[in-house]
């Protein structure tokens, strides 16, 4: 199958965790945010060191504001640009006043907080590596090359263009087959008799489909027919009784590049991420004292 990949559950969880950090970055947030109505482009960025507010003597600069707006862009996606900037500044002020209050109350000395802070710093650095060394280095040329390679390596798959007439009983189907044997027009009979709502106005046309897209009984019968032929015996499925006619057979066409570009990009991100992790782990000294846990981790990683 085109662009089919398999990873162990633990490996996929690791990637999901890793990329969740990237998802918090301004670039990813912009990509993930719902499309907003078209609006005028914002003005050119101001001096990043320009002060936009002070809180207890601490400054909030244009750079701080841009960071807040980027990190929180999902929440602000539906707001007009001018409201987005105000909302980001309000959020930055809220963060600073409560952070100051937390420090005044000694919460920054709390052991649990320090552990979380250290973990979040490592997670942020992890995300920075993913964004700079993986995501940021994938070019359109890389994506196109991966697409072309996948198309070239995909095994040839045939697909058929078929029509069908669906009825409730075998007797009804046999009666329709007799009419076809007598020279009746398949499309006309489909419009008159099929119980498939989508086929009542188009002569039972199902378009092209490949393996795995229809229930097994239907697929087997359709692929066994030559173009222009119809089933001489009714085909039973969970939906009823079918008379199937094949109009054409052809090699399945790969999806257009633009249609799967983002899917290919995601596959490249995934593969390059695991390459980076594998390299880093090979250079690290990792010890897991609990033998049971170590075996479970080794087994999960071996399943990648």
């Amino acid at each position: 199958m085109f662009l089919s990949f398999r990873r162990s559950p633990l490996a996929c969880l690791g990637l999901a965790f890793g990329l969740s950090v990237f998802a918090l970055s301004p670039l990813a947030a912009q990509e993930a945010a719902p499309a907003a109505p078209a609006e005028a482009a914002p003005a050119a960025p101001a001096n990043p060191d320009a002060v936009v507010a002070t809180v207890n003597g601490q400054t909030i600069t244009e750079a701080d504001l841009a960071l807040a707006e980027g990190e929180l862009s999902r929440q602000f996606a539906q707001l007009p640009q001018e409201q987005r900037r105000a909302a980001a500044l309000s959020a930055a002020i809220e963060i600073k006043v409560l952070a100051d209050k937390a420090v005044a109350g000694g919460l920054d000395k709390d052991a649990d907080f320090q552990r979380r802070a250290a973990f979040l710093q490592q997670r942020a650095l992890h995300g920075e590596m993913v964004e700079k060394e993986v995501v940021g280095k994938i070019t359109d040329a890389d994506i196109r090359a991966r697409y072309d390679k996948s198309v070239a390596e995909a095994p040839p798959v045939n697909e058929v263009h078929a029509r069908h007439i669906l009825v409730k009983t075998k007797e009804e189907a046999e009666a329709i087959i007799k009419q076809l044997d007598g020279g009746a027009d398949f499309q006309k009979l489909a419009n008159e008799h099929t119980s498939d709502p989508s086929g009542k106005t188009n002569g039972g046309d199902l378009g092209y489909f490949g393996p795995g897209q229809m229930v097994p009984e239907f697929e087997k019968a359709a692929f066994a027919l030559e173009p222009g032929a119809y089933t001489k015996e009714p085909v039973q499925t969970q939906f009823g009784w079918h008379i199937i006619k094949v109009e054409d057979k052809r090699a399945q066409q790969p999806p257009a590049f633009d249609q799967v570009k983002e899917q290919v990009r995601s596959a490249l991100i995934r593969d390059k991420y695991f390459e980076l992790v594998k390299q880093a782990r090979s250079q690290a000294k990792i010890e897991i004292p609990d033998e049971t846990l170590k075996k479970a981790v080794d087994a999960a990683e071996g399943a990648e």
Side-chain angles (χ1 to χ4, degrees):
M1 183 180 292
F2 186 78
L3 291 176
S4 177
F5 302 90
R6 179 177 297 173
R7 291 285 183 184
S8 72
L10 183 59
C12 290
L13 181 60
L15 176 62
F17 165 75
L19 297 188
S20 69
V21 182
F22 166 65
L24 294 176
S25 72
L27 174 61
Q30 290 165 11
E31 291 179 347
E39 57 185 29
N47 176 4
D49 296 324
V51 176
V52 294
T54 58
V55 178
N56 295 329
Q58 303 174 66
T59 61
I60 298 177
T61 65
E62 286 286 358
D64 297 327
L65 186 58
L67 180 61
E69 190 171 347
E71 294 288 344
L72 301 171
S73 61
R74 288 190 184 184
Q75 292 92 316
F76 301 154
Q78 300 301 322
L79 295 176
Q81 182 64 36
E82 63 275 9
Q83 292 183 26
R84 213 175 297 168
R85 178 175 166 83
L89 179 55
S90 178
I93 292 171
E94 288 176 13
I95 289 169
K96 277 195 176 294
V97 295
L98 289 185
D100 286 350
K101 194 172 181 62
V103 171
L107 294 182
D108 58 323
K109 303 297 191 296
D110 181 81
D112 285 340
F113 166 77
Q114 291 182 346
R115 277 191 291 270
R116 285 201 307 276
F119 176 77
L120 290 173
Q121 182 184 37
Q122 290 178 342
R123 184 180 178 188
L125 288 169
H126 172 286
E128 195 72 4
M129 278 291 292
V130 172
E131 187 170 349
K132 294 292 181 6
E133 298 300 319
V134 178
V135 178
K137 291 188 175 181
I138 293 175
T139 66
D140 284 347
D142 294 331
I143 299 172
R144 183 75 207 201
R146 176 61 174 269
Y147 169 83
D148 290 341
K149 183 174 183 288
S150 297
V151 169
E153 293 178 348
V157 176
N158 289 327
E159 59 183 5
V160 299
H161 175 196
R163 298 178 184 274
H164 80 136
I165 302 171
L166 175 64
V167 292
K168 292 182 179 180
T169 68
K170 183 179 181 180
E171 290 72 23
E172 289 178 274
E174 289 174 336
I176 292 171
I177 290 173
K178 285 184 179 180
Q179 293 184 64
L180 292 170
D181 291 341
D185 181 75
F186 191 98
Q187 295 185 44
K188 183 178 179 181
L189 290 177
N191 290 340
E192 292 174 355
H193 298 286
T194 189
S195 60
D196 178 359
S198 64
K200 281 189 170 295
T201 58
N202 66 359
D205 194 0
L206 296 170
Y208 283 94
F209 57 87
Q213 292 182 258
M214 299 292 178
V215 293
E217 304 89 345
F218 191 101
E219 177 183 304
K220 182 179 179 181
F223 276 86
L225 293 170
E226 292 300 320
Y230 57 87
T231 49
K232 297 297 184 178
E233 296 292 333
V235 177
Q236 185 180 22
T237 71
Q238 66 204 65
F239 303 105
W241 294 86
H242 306 260
I243 306 96
I244 305 168
K245 181 183 179 183
V246 167
E247 299 285 2
D248 185 32
K249 286 187 175 181
R250 69 181 185 185
Q252 191 174 60
Q253 303 300 302
F257 174 69
D258 288 341
Q259 180 184 344
V260 295
K261 181 178 179 180
E262 289 308 308
Q263 181 185 349
V264 178
R265 181 174 181 270
S266 295
L268 276 172
I269 290 173
R270 179 167 56 242
D271 289 351
K272 289 184 180 295
Y273 171 81
F274 279 113
E275 288 174 10
L276 181 63
V277 169
K278 184 177 180 180
Q279 179 187 31
R281 291 183 71 133
S282 70
Q283 297 169 348
K285 183 179 180 180
I286 301 172
E287 298 177 354
I288 304 176
D290 186 324
E291 281 300 316
T292 301
L293 180 57
K294 182 179 185 304
K295 287 179 180 179
V297 171
D298 289 345
E301 292 175 354
E304 291 185 23

